[in-house]
Amino acid sequence: MPLASSLPFASRLLRRTFAAGMLLAAAGLAAAQPAGTPIRLLVGFPAGAGSDAIARVLAEKLKDELGTNVVVENRAGAGGQIAAQALKAAPADGHTLFLTHDHSISILPQVTRNPGFDPASDFTPVAGFATFANVLAVSGATPAKTMQEYVNWVKTAKGGKDTIGVPAPGSIPVFLVQLIAKKYGIDVQAAPYRGSAPMTADMLGNQISSGIASVPDFIEYQKQGKVRIVATIGAKRDPLLPGVPTFTELGFQNLTDYPWYGIFAPVGTPQPVVDRFGAALQKVLAMPDVKKKLTDMGLNVAYEPQGQFAGRVRTYTQTWEGIIKASGFQPQ
């Protein structure tokens, strides 16, 4: 058959193949997410914590974009481990997703002997939506307004010893406490809590003098003058805290990678479902009111599609793997 006469047939075949593929994808998506079926958005921390507040801002808007209810489900405990295990156990049908920050995915598997999940084989990254900074804050009862003033206070008023609250055992704040102790020659120990909310409550009640958590956990209390943030992780100063130096400015090494927030699905979740949720999230993040709310909470809002987000998670995990190993920490 001459080439010229074969082109119309090839064109028709290509169009039919494409149309059939689109129908199959749509059918698969419909089967995975029946109309009106709620989506569970797992959060590994209690109501009132920073992650919970962030999830509720997003869920309210996502339900309109997805045409179904998005229900925030708090599976608090063990620094997000319980929620991660729940995600692993959930069907890969798009009805269950996990909103989390870096700790549950990048850190827990390195500091826990049997976490009950493997992010690389059990989860599918959906999208990233923000970065933030971990910070050291002192309570209003302490006289310190800077890191050096805090160190001097510990040396003079506390006999060189103090406890610093952290949201979970084996978390990045634990290793930051170790780095602070080593750099300044003071005996400070991490006091692990079950989440940032009870830790912050003890700071506000002057039960502990200081704590390390994320900007979203402290920012409102910072604005009210109830805590004072004295140092932040990151390559540059946080826009919400222009007067607060970074740990790097204070002479610490390897503390420039920002922690992140993102969404994960069970492995095997159909790609059309992942893409649909990612597209909805991108639209929601572009809404001025949503962006303002999240920014006011201390987040640097930026949508990251699946591939870019997966790369961020890998790089961040590798950075902290080196720090954790150098600390001599043994998985527990």
Side-chain angles (χ1 to χ4, degrees):
M1 180 181 294
L3 178 60
S5 63
S6 69
L7 286 175
F9 172 76
S11 178
R12 290 196 302 274
L13 180 61
L14 181 60
R15 288 198 298 269
R16 288 172 182 170
T17 302
F18 177 77
M22 292 299 291
L23 287 172
L24 285 172
L29 180 59
Q33 289 184 309
T37 302
I39 294 173
R40 293 191 304 156
L41 190 59
L42 300 175
V43 173
F45 297 90
S51 296
D52 174 73
I54 292 163
R56 293 181 189 279
V57 169
L58 295 178
E60 181 182 357
K61 300 291 187 177
L62 283 168
K63 70 178 181 180
D64 295 328
E65 292 296 327
L66 296 169
T68 189
N69 285 333
V70 178
V71 181
V72 176
E73 184 173 312
N74 300 94
R75 292 292 189 94
Q81 185 175 355
I82 293 173
Q85 291 172 349
L87 183 72
K88 178 183 176 180
D93 57 8
H95 299 157
T96 306
L97 298 169
F98 183 27
L99 182 149
T100 184
H101 52 54
D102 57 292
H103 178 73
S104 303
I105 302 298
S106 293
I107 307 303
L108 261 179
Q110 299 190 57
V111 300
T112 307
R113 282 196 184 129
N114 297 300
F117 65 93
D118 179 356
S121 59
D122 296 327
F123 303 153
T124 294
V126 175
F129 63 86
T131 59
F132 63 96
N134 281 318
V135 299
L136 170 66
V138 298
S139 69
T142 65
K145 296 181 180 179
T146 67
M147 172 69 91
Q148 191 59 57
E149 288 181 4
Y150 168 71
V151 171
N152 293 342
W153 176 76
V154 171
K155 289 180 176 180
T156 58
K158 302 281 285 183
K161 297 182 178 182
D162 196 20
T163 55
I164 299 178
V166 298
S171 59
I172 283 178
V174 171
F175 301 107
L176 288 177
V177 171
Q178 293 179 2
L179 293 174
I180 290 168
K182 181 177 180 180
K183 178 173 177 56
Y184 293 107
I186 53 178
D187 183 9
V188 287
Q189 302 291 326
Y193 282 77
R194 296 183 63 182
S196 59
M199 181 200 77
T200 305
D202 273 4
M203 286 181 65
L204 297 176
N206 299 318
Q207 301 300 308
I208 55 174
S209 66
S210 55
I212 297 177
S214 69
V215 172
D217 292 316
F218 286 137
I219 191 63
E220 288 304 315
Y221 301 116
Q222 164 86 0
K223 292 175 182 177
Q224 297 167 19
K226 295 180 179 180
V227 304
R228 291 185 292 277
I229 297 173
V230 298
T232 75
I233 272 182
K236 57 184 180 181
R237 295 192 179 194
D238 193 284
L240 291 178
L241 303 163
V244 178
T246 65
F247 281 101
T248 301
E249 289 179 74
L250 296 173
F252 292 78
Q253 303 296 315
N254 300 319
L255 296 180
T256 56
D257 282 355
Y258 288 102
W260 45 262
Y261 266 101
I263 307 288
F264 292 80
V267 69
T269 300
Q271 192 61 40
V273 175
V274 172
D275 294 342
R276 179 171 179 255
F277 191 91
L281 179 63
Q282 186 174 19
K283 289 182 180 179
V284 167
L285 293 173
M287 297 176 182
D289 59 330
V290 171
K291 188 168 185 178
K292 184 179 187 306
K293 286 179 181 178
L294 297 181
T295 300
D296 288 347
M297 290 179 186
L299 299 183
N300 302 308
V301 180
Y303 175 77
E304 286 188 328
Q306 185 179 37
Q308 183 180 347
F309 177 53
R312 176 186 290 278
V313 173
R314 283 194 300 272
T315 299
Y316 184 89
T317 302
Q318 290 167 0
T319 295
W320 279 96
E321 182 180 15
I323 294 174
I324 292 169
K325 285 183 177 179
S327 76
F329 184 88
Q330 296 298 313
Q332 299 173 355

